[in-house]
Every structure is written in structure tokens, then in C-alpha cells.
Amino acid sequence: EAEVAQSPRYKITEKSQAVAFWCDPISGHATLYWYRQILGQGPELLVQFQDESVVDDSQLPKDRFSAERLKGVDSTLKIQPAELGDSAMYLCASSQGRGRDEAFFGQGTRLTVV
Amino acid sequence: GESVGLHLPTLSVQEGDNSIINCAYSNSASDYFIWYKQESGKGPQFIIDIRSNMDKRQGQRVTVLLNKTVKHLSLQIAATQPGDSAVYFCAENQGYSTLTFGKGTMLLVSP
């Protein structure tokens, strides 16, 4: 069964260091999302791509976060420098991109900043 | 009730009971809704969806009801099993916009 792949599953980093997460969406899915989920809360969108273009990054803290999807397939989310408050689960999801279609989620990357 | 930090609304049921999880959504223009199940340490998993031109949709052991008048969505799980224990989220979107998640509800099923 096709699934969204994310790596690493877990990451511990010191504050002020750089950290990167990788996501490979389901093949053929045009839309890719990065969400952040703080323990006990629902996922909150960081950035949404349609193919290689960013369509919504209004909630992305651009002073420290960046995201790219250069070839419109896999994607990387980077944080530099990491802060203690960035500790969370980072979830990647993809959908076919026709609108009104379900998003499939990866297992996420659990980030702990110490 | 409202969730604050780690304190999710919790529904505790016995195995075999029917469960009803509720969600109030915010955008009256939303036209597509999804229920997700999230187990500890995993990503959300699709359960069932419904479009705004419907008020009820059934799946295997699950039913989603949509009341657009009061912007309310519910998920009914029949014959709840211990494996149903998880956090459940509703999500909404409008057209091609971002999928927005509501606050979750933790379902605890006792054997």
C-alpha cells in the first residue's frame, strides 16, 4: 500500500543548531503539506505545496523555517536555528491535489530540542 | 469541553458500546470534512469523509453526521473495540484551501 515516507522518525538536537526533515509523498500526489503538532493539540499547517510551488506558507516562521520541493516530488523542511519551543511532531501529508480530497499522513518526525 | 494543552476532552466507553464524538467547525463556507484517527506516536489516519451536499455518510462501523445549520459534525462508532482507542480529529476545508484541524477528542475503550 502506498504511503507517505518521512525521516528521521526521531531527532534530538541542541538549541541553535540546524535540523532538517525529509518527506516523500505518495507517487502522483501533487499537493504536499507540512504540519506541526504540539502534544495534545491538532496539527497546524506550516506550508502547502502544489507541485513545486508554495501555495500557503502564511503560518511558517520564515525567520528560521524553510521548506522546498524542488522537483515537485519529495520535500525538505529545515529549521535554523532550532529553539526549545520547536519541540513537536512534524507531519508530512500528501493528496492528489484536486481539492476536496483526503490527505494521507506520514508517521511524522518527533523533534526534541534540548 | 475545551482542551487546554495536554488536557484533551476524553470519552470513556466500554467495549461493545456505541461511541459518539462531536466536533464544532468554524468556517461556514467549508464544504469538505474528514475524520482522522491518531494513535500515540503515529500520524493521523483517514477514517471517513463527507461533502457538504450530504448530511450523513456510513462506512464500516462508522457514521458521520453533518449539521451545517449549527456547524456541527459527529462521528459515531458502532460496537466500539479496544483498538478504537485513540485521539480523533475532525478537519475541514473549502475548495482548494488548506485542511484545518479541530481540537481532538481522546477515546478510551475499556475491555
Side-chain angles (χ1 to χ4, degrees), chain A residues 9-58:
Chain A
R9 284 296 308 277
Y10 304 93
K11 180 70 178 178
I12 300 174
T13 191
E14 294 182 345
K15 63 180 181 179
S16 80
Q17 295 299 303
V19 62
F21 315 126
W22 177 79
C23 172
D24 190 11
I26 293 173
S27 178
H29 279 194
T31 304
L32 185 146
Y33 311 84
W34 282 102
Y35 283 87
R36 177 169 60 186
Q37 186 175 28
I38 296 170
L39 189 64
Q41 299 182 19
E44 296 181 326
L45 183 76
L46 291 173
V47 61
Q48 177 181 344
F49 289 92
Q50 183 70 22
D51 299 310
E52 67 276 8
S53 300
V54 173
V55 296
D56 186 350
D57 64 355
S58 57

Side-chain angles (χ1 to χ4, degrees), chain A residues 63-104:
Chain A
D63 57 335
R64 298 186 300 108
F65 285 65
S66 64
E68 60 183 16
R69 193 185 183 198
L70 293 176
K71 297 182 180 179
V73 181
D74 58 339
S75 176
T76 302
L77 177 70
K78 297 179 181 177
I79 308 175
Q80 182 174 18
E83 296 180 353
L84 295 177
D86 295 332
S87 295
M89 175 78 88
Y90 290 82
L91 293 162
C92 180
S94 69
S95 68
Q96 291 185 334
R98 298 191 302 255
R100 302 187 187 88
D101 61 338
E102 68 180 276
F104 295 84

Side-chain angles (χ1 to χ4, degrees), chain B residues 32-63:
Chain B
Y32 180 59
F33 306 88
I34 306 176
W35 278 101
Y36 283 92
K37 171 187 179 184
Q38 187 173 27
E39 296 174 282
S40 181
K42 297 184 178 181
Q45 177 186 3
F46 173 90
I47 302 174
I48 191 168
D49 60 359
I50 188 168
R51 305 192 190 285
S52 59
N53 61 350
M54 305 172 68
D55 54 20
K56 180 179 180 179
R57 190 166 188 221
Q58 289 184 291
Q60 186 176 14
R61 283 202 307 120
V62 295
T63 301

